[in-house]
Amino acid sequence: MKKRRLLAALGAPVTLFSATLLASEKLYNFAFKRVDYVPETSADKQKYASAYWSYVDWLHRQPVQTWQLNINDEANRLVATYVPASTTSNRTVIVSHGYKGDGETMANYAYMFHQMGYNVLLPDDRGHGQSAGKYISFGWQDRRDYLGWIARVIKNNGSRSQIVLFGVSMGGATVEMMSGEKLPNQVQAIIADCGYTSIEEELAYLLKRQFHLPKYPFVPIVSFINRHRMGYFLSDVSSVEQLRHNHRPIFFIHGEKDVYVPSWMLKKNYQAAGGPKKMWQVPNATHAESFWIDPVAYQQHVTAFLANYLPQNN
């Protein structure tokens, strides 16, 4: 009888630990594993569907080019769509897409910058779209990949290129993380729309909000799984730490009613950022909705910011 009680007492923690590991593995695959489709947008943004598809149709009518990096390395091959400006321009914007999206999902921003006279590069991030990769890196590996896209723009368009880095949601965090890298002088400004502070804080926040689960023990276990599969812990993936090393002009945009990437993350990123900086918190906008609420006002704010930092002779 005592032996049975002892085995039962020992078995309960083992069972709980096994269940936690299994749940963490499922969480990791749900959040980090690539999907070969673009998930449907949230219900609150369905009202923008018609406008969204009109931008996608516009993109499909453009004389685009397909660019690739790491062509001979199937496991690391990256693909992007390049939209040349209507008239020859030294200005190029590299647009970083959101979580489980691809370059095409940024067609509205491509249209905006194209109207502003920019060449537009729309990469599919690692683990998304036509690019290779089994897992999503939430901007961390992408920040290095984008250095390759920057080099490709300069090679294609010349040393007088004026490059803007622009991203939304995960893409916003990606360009924030790029800000801490050694960037060529041609990169002259960064615009980050609703980027998170770190993947660790974002995951912990969403676990609590969406699944009513605590940070511990799930986030540390997921971090350990990611270290095994991707080579780094989640604590390494930080916009805040990268922004501390920034010295380029950076414009932070964030929806006032964003509950997916909460506004305290905007303020933490803004406070951390070095270099000239500006912040625009858009009234009544939810996550990644700032453009859709008023595209004209959005373009005006972006244009005004860039006019301060990009030379006029383009």
Side-chain angles (χ1 to χ4, degrees):
M1 182 66 69
K2 290 182 179 179
K3 185 176 181 180
R4 287 180 182 177
R5 288 176 180 173
L6 177 61
L7 289 173
L10 292 173
V14 171
T15 300
L16 179 60
F17 180 70
S18 298
T20 302
L21 284 179
L22 180 61
S24 298
E25 174 71 20
K26 288 184 176 180
L27 174 62
Y28 183 82
N29 286 331
F30 172 78
F32 289 78
K33 199 170 184 178
R34 78 172 291 147
V35 293
D36 290 312
Y37 63 91
V38 176
E40 191 174 68
T41 190
S42 57
D44 65 313
K45 297 194 180 62
Q46 291 291 337
K47 58 181 176 283
Y48 303 119
S50 178
Y52 168 78
W53 287 112
S54 70
Y55 289 117
V56 172
D57 289 342
W58 168 84
L59 180 60
H60 289 170
R61 294 194 303 270
Q62 302 311 301
V64 302
Q65 303 168 18
T66 298
W67 288 8
Q68 297 187 58
L69 296 177
N70 312 322
I71 296 175
N72 298 319
D73 183 356
E74 192 62 31
N76 292 288
R77 184 174 57 88
L78 302 171
V79 180
T81 298
Y82 179 74
V83 189
S86 297
T87 57
T88 302
S89 175
N90 288 330
R91 292 185 176 180
T92 301
V93 61
I94 302 177
V95 178
S96 184
H97 64 75
Y99 177 62
K100 293 186 177 178
D102 57 25
E104 184 178 276
T105 62
M106 306 299 280
N108 55 312
Y109 303 103
Y111 176 84
M112 178 186 75
F113 279 104
H114 196 263
Q115 293 296 108
M116 293 164 59
Y118 284 72
N119 308 298
V120 181
L121 186 65
L122 301 167
D124 287 353
D125 287 356
R126 188 176 293 266
H128 295 79
Q130 297 182 68
S131 291
K134 293 181 180 179
Y135 298 102
I136 297 168
S137 79
F138 289 89
W140 195 237
Q141 286 188 332
D142 304 307
R143 84 194 196 283
R144 297 276 178 81
D145 294 334
Y146 275 63
L147 295 177
W149 292 126
I150 291 169
R152 178 64 188 273
V153 168
I154 296 170
K155 180 180 179 181
N156 191 78
N157 296 349
S159 61
R160 295 181 61 195
S161 292
Q162 300 169 11
I163 299 173
V164 174
L165 305 178
F166 174 90
V168 179
S169 191
M170 185 184 79
T174 299
V175 298
E176 289 167 352
M177 292 176 198
M178 289 178 69
S179 73
E181 298 301 308
K182 186 176 180 180
L183 301 173
N185 293 333
Q186 287 86 350
V187 177
Q188 303 199 334
I190 300 171
I191 302 174
D193 188 333
C194 60
Y196 41 78
T197 51
S198 72
I199 189 53
E200 188 174 53
E201 287 186 327
E202 178 67 9
L203 183 59
Y205 170 79
L206 292 178
L207 270 179
K208 183 177 181 181
R209 177 177 176 79
Q210 295 186 349
F211 302 105
H212 308 291
L213 293 173
K215 177 178 179 179
Y216 299 100
F218 297 102
V219 172
I221 295 175
V222 168
S223 181
F224 181 80
I225 294 171
N226 196 72
R227 174 65 177 82
H228 176 69
R229 296 188 184 169
M230 299 283 281
Y232 53 86
F233 292 108
L234 298 189
S235 57
D236 297 331
V237 186
S238 173
S239 299
V240 169
E241 291 306 313
Q242 291 289 100
L243 285 164
R244 295 190 201 283
H245 302 288
N246 177 61
H247 61 269
R248 283 171 172 75
I250 184 165
F251 184 22
F252 296 93
I253 303 172
H254 213 103
E256 190 178 55
K257 294 185 176 180
D258 192 337
V259 295
Y260 190 77
V261 177
S263 60
W264 62 262
M265 290 193 177
L266 161 69
K267 292 164 187 173
K268 191 172 180 179
N269 282 335
Y270 182 82
Q271 289 168 359
K277 54 189 176 182
K278 182 179 180 181
M279 179 172 63
W280 177 35
Q281 200 161 4
V282 183
N284 300 314
T286 59
H287 184 66
E289 192 183 20
S290 297
F291 172 91
W292 298 105
I293 281 183
D294 192 340
V296 173
Y298 194 96
Q299 181 171 332
Q300 288 173 343
H301 277 80
V302 168
T303 300
F305 172 75
L306 293 176
N308 292 320
Y309 301 107
L310 268 68
Q312 292 303 309
N313 55 334
N314 59 18

